[in-house]
Amino acid sequence: MHSKRLTLIALGALLLAGCRGSAPIIPAEPVIAAPVVVAPPRKVRIGLALGGGAARGFAHIGVIKALEAQGIFPDVIVGTSAGSVVGALYAAGNNGFALQKVAMDMDEASISDWALPLFGKVSGVLKGDALQNYVNKAVRNVPMEKLKIPFGAVATDLNSGQPILFQRGNTGQAVRASSAVPSVFQPVKIGSRSYVDGGLVAPVPVRFAREMGADFIIAVNISTQTDAQATLSSLEVLMQTFSIMGQRLNHYELKDADVVVSPRLGTMGGGDFNSRNLAILAGEQAAAAVMPQIKAKLRARQQQ
């Protein structure tokens, strides 16, 4: 019995000695991987620069419809001449389909107010009051700075020949100034200055969209090709002249755009209001053709 107790004591001593000779076993803590932070896409301010071209401007509506169908909406809109008309109505909150309805309901006579020559002289066959009133009615008399989307209209200072970007004040008056084609519309006097069509200095106002804070610009060029335009009426001859004058300006201006949409309008004249449906369709088709390019470039810009 005594020897059995000694044996147990010896075994206990050996076990204790073994515990003292080895490090204690501590359970390993789990390794927690650092979370992968994915930066959200950068907010890109999209600018829409709408060029001039009289009745060919109906194509702008088709471009807008195509962009909206893909969830692309501008943060800034700048227009010249016909582009300022469409741009103002769009900035006021009308979507592409609403703009198309406006276009279909538009009566050319509603924007035409013939001027009577004074002592045999007249600076334009149309006064422009009708266009101004039409636009103001369409935007519910909201001034430019209170439109739903920031909007600018480009005109030309008749005295200095310099471009002017209207962003505040009477929306219809700014559009009228931007659209005052010399010899067709009378110059527009605002304050002490007189203004005419912005197409003389910025046929497609890309740089002004940039000035208004856009960092991704979609430009819509509806100017005619000089070898395609049928020169039948006085207006068409004048618009052809504008196109020739604006080609070099467009060459430099459009280089600063991220994407240029050029609707195929063929020989459609500046006074051809009867082809508005075809122009809208041409705008949709042209925008659809470059949509992969728009999306790819926009995605790349968002990831910068």
Side-chain angles (χ1 to χ4, degrees), residues 98-120:
L99 290 174
Q100 183 168 358
K101 184 179 186 309
V102 169
M104 293 301 102
D105 293 340
M106 178 184 284
D107 179 7
E108 188 178 352
S110 66
I111 58 172
S112 302
D113 48 358
W114 299 97
L116 295 176
L118 181 63
F119 303 114

Side-chain angles (χ1 to χ4, degrees), residues 228-239:
Q229 179 65 62
T231 53
L232 301 176
S233 69
S234 298
L235 174 61
E236 287 165 350
V237 170
L238 192 58
M239 296 308 297

